[in-house]
Amino acid sequence: MRIMRQVLDETDRRIAATLVASPRASWREVARCLGLSERTVVRRVALLYADGTLRATAVRNPALFPHLIPAALRIRCRPNKIRQVAQALARRTDTVWVDILGGGDEISTIFFLEGPEARNNLLLRDLPATDAVDSWTAHTLLRVFPTAFRWTAGLLSPTELAELAPDPTPPKTPAPSYTQADVDTALIAALTEDGRATYTDLARRAGTTALTARRRLEALVDGQVLRLATEFDLALLGAQTEALLWIVVQPGALQETARTLSTHPHVCFCAATTGPANLVVAVAAANLDALYTFLTDTVGPLSAVTAIDTTPLLATVKRTGLIRH
């Protein structure tokens, strides 16, 4: 059984932050960015991955998979059954995030549902048949703002961050068969299991050459068909307080408000949604005081924000498609 770290020293924290910013950065690139020897990086990072403190994966961009329905659900449960429900949701292959919120009676989860039938089965069959579930609200994710994925707890300077991970560019429109090619399907499956798999291993899984695997991976990432990710406990980088904000924004200012919030250092997820709240934002802050300051000094001055529901995260069960140990 692997035992994850409970604390990291400053060097390990900066290495982890670098791999969050650039999940497939070479050890040489990490060493150069942080001013460390490559041997130190290799030794330390091997232990971080070996004990599961860091895990490499990949997440599809649902905007470029027409059959996928990305949905955020707020599920009210009986408090004495909430962990069982959360764990059952985490075991589903179509959940990406599963968090326990608020006073211990609410679950927030993000689904990538495989079409209308899967959506209807979830909402009309699976949830109603679960006795521990009292009620739920469902929101379709209309647009995810990728800059929020650059969260690094402020451990990297702007120069270091820019060197590792340039600002995301608008997604390119893929050719009709771009995301449906067999080699791409195999690469995505392999990268979901191990986001740092070697090009040789990727080529073997996809039945192609290492050079082709590299080129196709670069095309998938550059076209924002796929997002590489490093999964870890945000508290290890100093984020002791996490919360979801369900924000009501005047429609004409939604795009501008989302872009403003998605670039804030505390924001690790930001998406426009359907429903009464049209913007959902995940915040990771050092403590409750830092969360309060974010609400008053960052969200407060945004004149287009008309209402906000702040729900603290009590426990994370699944993140970026990986179940927490």
Side-chain angles (χ1 to χ4, degrees):
M1 179 178 177
R2 298 187 300 182
I3 301 177
M4 293 174 58
R5 312 282 184 90
Q6 298 302 310
V7 65
L8 299 179
D9 65 22
E10 185 66 17
T11 298
D12 281 345
R13 291 173 69 196
R14 279 178 49 79
I15 289 173
T18 301
L19 291 168
V20 171
S22 184
R24 281 186 67 90
S26 70
W27 307 144
R28 180 174 298 178
E29 290 171 330
V30 174
R32 183 175 64 245
C33 174
L34 301 180
L36 301 171
S37 71
E38 188 172 347
R39 175 177 294 183
T40 296
V41 170
V42 170
R43 174 172 54 84
R44 285 176 173 259
V45 83
L47 294 174
L48 290 170
Y49 281 114
D51 64 14
T53 299
L54 299 182
R55 293 187 288 171
T57 187
V59 181
R60 292 173 294 173
N61 178 0
L64 297 183
F65 290 81
H67 66 287
L68 284 182
I69 300 175
L73 269 68
R74 301 181 67 174
I75 304 171
R76 292 280 185 179
C77 301
R78 297 178 189 171
N80 64 330
K81 297 291 185 180
I82 196 163
R83 284 198 174 272
Q84 293 94 314
V85 175
Q87 289 164 358
L89 289 168
R91 288 192 293 269
R92 291 179 60 119
T93 59
D94 54 5
T95 53
V96 183
W97 284 26
V98 179
D99 294 308
I100 298 175
L101 303 179
D105 62 349
E106 183 180 352
I107 295 171
S108 174
T109 183
I110 292 179
F111 285 84
F112 283 180
L113 297 162
E114 298 281 344
E117 184 177 358
R119 176 198 57 201
N120 294 345
N121 285 341
L122 172 67
L123 299 178
L124 304 178
R125 183 192 66 188
D126 298 346
L127 290 177
T130 305
D131 290 338
V133 171
D134 292 329
S135 64
W136 63 89
T137 57
H139 312 258
T140 299
L141 301 184
L142 300 175
R143 178 168 299 181
V144 176
F145 294 84
T147 51
F149 296 126
R150 293 157 58 84
W151 184 91
T152 58
L155 290 168
L156 301 180
S157 70
T159 301
E160 291 168 334
L161 187 57
E163 178 183 346
L164 285 166
D167 287 330
T169 56
K172 303 169 185 175
T173 302
S177 61
Y178 185 74
T179 60
Q180 299 174 12
D182 289 343
V183 63
D184 289 350
T185 301
L187 285 176
I188 291 171
L191 289 163
T192 300
E193 295 174 12
D194 180 6
R196 290 196 63 92
T198 66
Y199 292 113
T200 299
D201 287 340
L202 292 175
R204 177 179 52 80
R205 288 283 299 269
T208 186
T209 65
L211 179 59
T212 297
R214 179 169 187 163
R215 287 175 175 170
R216 297 301 288 175
L217 171 55
E218 290 173 351
L220 289 169
V221 173
D222 290 345
Q224 295 187 15
V225 176
L226 189 71
R227 178 176 69 87
L228 300 172
T230 299
E231 159 60 7
F232 67 105
D233 182 353
L234 303 188
L236 292 173
L237 298 192
Q240 300 297 328
T241 299
E242 294 184 64
L244 279 182
L245 313 181
W246 301 87
I247 304 175
V248 180
V249 183
Q250 294 174 8
L254 181 58
Q255 179 91 345
E256 180 183 356
T257 302
R259 284 179 172 170
T260 297
L261 292 176
S262 69
T263 59
H264 192 279
H266 289 348
V267 173
C268 49
F269 179 80
C270 180
T273 76
T274 61
N278 52 3
L279 189 65
V280 59
V281 175
V283 176
N287 48 43
L288 289 172
D289 186 64
L291 174 61
Y292 175 81
T293 300
F294 175 80
L295 294 173
T296 57
D297 295 2
T298 299
V299 181
L302 300 175
S303 59
V305 172
T306 60
I308 182 170
D309 178 9
T310 303
T311 53
L313 269 65
L314 300 184
T316 293
V317 184
K318 190 175 189 179
R319 192 63 59 87
T320 58
L322 299 177
I323 297 175
R324 285 279 177 92
H325 298 302

